[in-house]
Amino acid sequence: MAWQNPGAMVGNGGGAGGGGDGSNHGNQPQGTEYTLQGVMRFLQTEWHRHERDRNAWEIERAEMKSRIGKLEGDGRTSKRLQETLGKHVKILENALRKEREKVKSLQSAALTEEKPKETATTKENLKSDEKRKYHSFVKRDIN
């Protein structure tokens, strides 16, 4: 199984003319001789290299699948946590709104109750002030 230079075939007329025996004419480089043992060794080393690369790719593929699964799980967990926190926020907002309405209604009820009391208290205070003034005036006249 000899390797032949394509230029050598053209130089000697395709091997049919010129020399006739197919030997090189000295100025052509000598071809590399392949042996069955050399070819088998080359194929084995290439096969082993290919198997090592394939194993490394399989390991990397498994690592990537694992990483993808972990990241997808983290994403689902984060999404559920966000939904839960959103529900809690809505509940707290509703509770706060109700509490504010309650406080507002209590304040408005207290203000409406204070106004009549103030007017009644003011009238009572005026009457008592008038009585005092009258009594102090009467006492002055008597003395």
Side-chain angles (χ1 to χ4, degrees):
M1 210 195 289
W3 178 81
Q4 293 183 351
N5 189 358
M9 293 175 68
V10 173
N12 62 10
D21 62 350
S23 63
N24 287 333
H25 294 305
N27 62 355
Q28 299 294 329
Q30 182 67 25
T32 305
E33 291 288 329
Y34 292 117
T35 63
L36 181 60
Q37 183 181 5
V39 169
M40 292 301 293
R41 182 178 300 140
F42 172 77
L43 290 174
Q44 285 178 342
T45 56
E46 287 299 308
W47 177 257
H48 289 300
R49 185 183 60 79
H50 172 73
E51 286 296 314
R52 281 192 308 269
D53 291 345
R54 191 173 65 111
N55 289 339
W57 294 331
E58 289 295 324
I59 290 169
E60 185 179 358
R61 182 175 179 224
E63 289 173 352
M64 290 295 159
K65 280 187 173 183
S66 171
R67 186 173 177 210
I68 288 169
K70 182 182 180 300
L71 291 173
E72 286 177 346
D74 290 347
R76 284 190 299 268
T77 302
S78 296
K79 186 177 179 181
R80 280 184 298 210
L81 180 63
Q82 184 180 6
E83 289 172 356
T84 304
L85 291 175
K87 288 177 184 177
H88 286 295
V89 166
K90 287 180 182 178
I91 291 169
L92 291 172
E93 286 175 346
N94 288 335
L96 181 62
R97 189 179 312 113
K98 288 179 182 178
E99 188 68 26
R100 285 181 178 167
E101 289 173 359
K102 183 179 174 182
V103 168
K104 197 175 204 180
S105 66
L106 289 175
Q107 285 177 347
S108 64
L111 287 176
T112 57
E113 289 177 5
E114 286 179 8
K115 286 182 182 178
K117 286 182 181 178
E118 286 178 5
T119 56
T121 308
T122 310
K123 288 179 183 178
E124 289 175 9
N125 287 340
L126 287 175
K127 288 180 182 178
S128 63
D129 285 343
E130 288 176 4
K131 287 180 182 178
R132 275 189 234 131
K133 287 180 184 176
Y134 177 74
H135 291 295
S136 63
F137 180 71
V138 172
K139 286 183 183 178
R140 274 191 233 156
D141 285 343
I142 299 176
N143 289 336

